[in-house]
Amino acid sequence: QVQLVESGGGLVQAGGSLKLSCAASGLTFSNYAMGWFRQAPGKERDLVAAINWSGSYTYYEDSVKGRFTISRDNAKNTVHLQMNSLKPEDTAVYFCAATGSKSLYAVVGGGIDYWGQGTQVTVSS
């Protein structure tokens, strides 16, 4: 079975940093573009960042560009989201996602095949 398991969420003060991790199993990891999404209470689940199969291409939503960095380690079947300069509006449940394409555009286009269960990130003012 394909599983995506997130970790690294928690409570942090504004201006601080967190690093989220997603461990994938049950799939040939390098065949999949990956992404991170987030959902705040009362809002839609929105794309935060995406990365192609090799990590050579990345995409960021405008509100996090320059603050967040997505990366992957295909040898360890993991994808990460380094979050710096966190703001209260970053508070949300963050989800790891995989699409059965090597192109990050499949993630940007919403063609998600597998979702993690999410990890809570809370940024205090």
Side-chain angles (χ1 to χ4, degrees):
Q1 297 185 40
V2 173
Q3 292 188 74
L4 304 176
V5 181
E6 301 98 334
S7 61
L11 175 65
V12 65
Q13 290 187 339
S17 298
L18 283 174
K19 185 177 181 179
L20 305 183
S21 297
C22 173
S25 61
L27 76 171
T28 303
F29 187 64
S30 61
N31 285 347
Y32 291 78
M34 303 292 294
W36 287 95
F37 291 72
R38 66 186 180 186
Q39 186 168 24
K43 295 188 176 181
E44 300 292 325
R45 185 177 298 188
D46 294 324
L47 176 66
V48 176
I51 189 166
N52 79 323
W53 72 277
S54 67
S56 60
Y57 294 93
T58 57
Y59 169 89
Y60 298 95
E61 192 268 330
D62 286 344
S63 68
V64 308
K65 192 171 185 178
R67 300 189 297 122
F68 290 11
T69 303
I70 188 171
S71 62
R72 67 189 296 158
D73 185 341
N74 286 348
K76 297 182 178 180
N77 286 11
T78 56
V79 61
H80 307 277
L81 186 68
Q82 178 66 50
M83 305 184 294
N84 299 326
S85 301
L86 283 162
K87 304 174 181 179
E89 51 262 44
D90 294 319
T91 295
V93 176
Y94 284 71
F95 297 88
C96 180
T99 185
S101 172
K102 292 185 176 182
S103 171
L104 63 80
Y105 294 110
V107 178
V108 175
I112 303 302
D113 293 309
Y114 303 105
W115 292 97
Q117 294 181 333
T119 185
Q120 177 71 48
V121 172
T122 302
V123 184
S124 63
S125 60

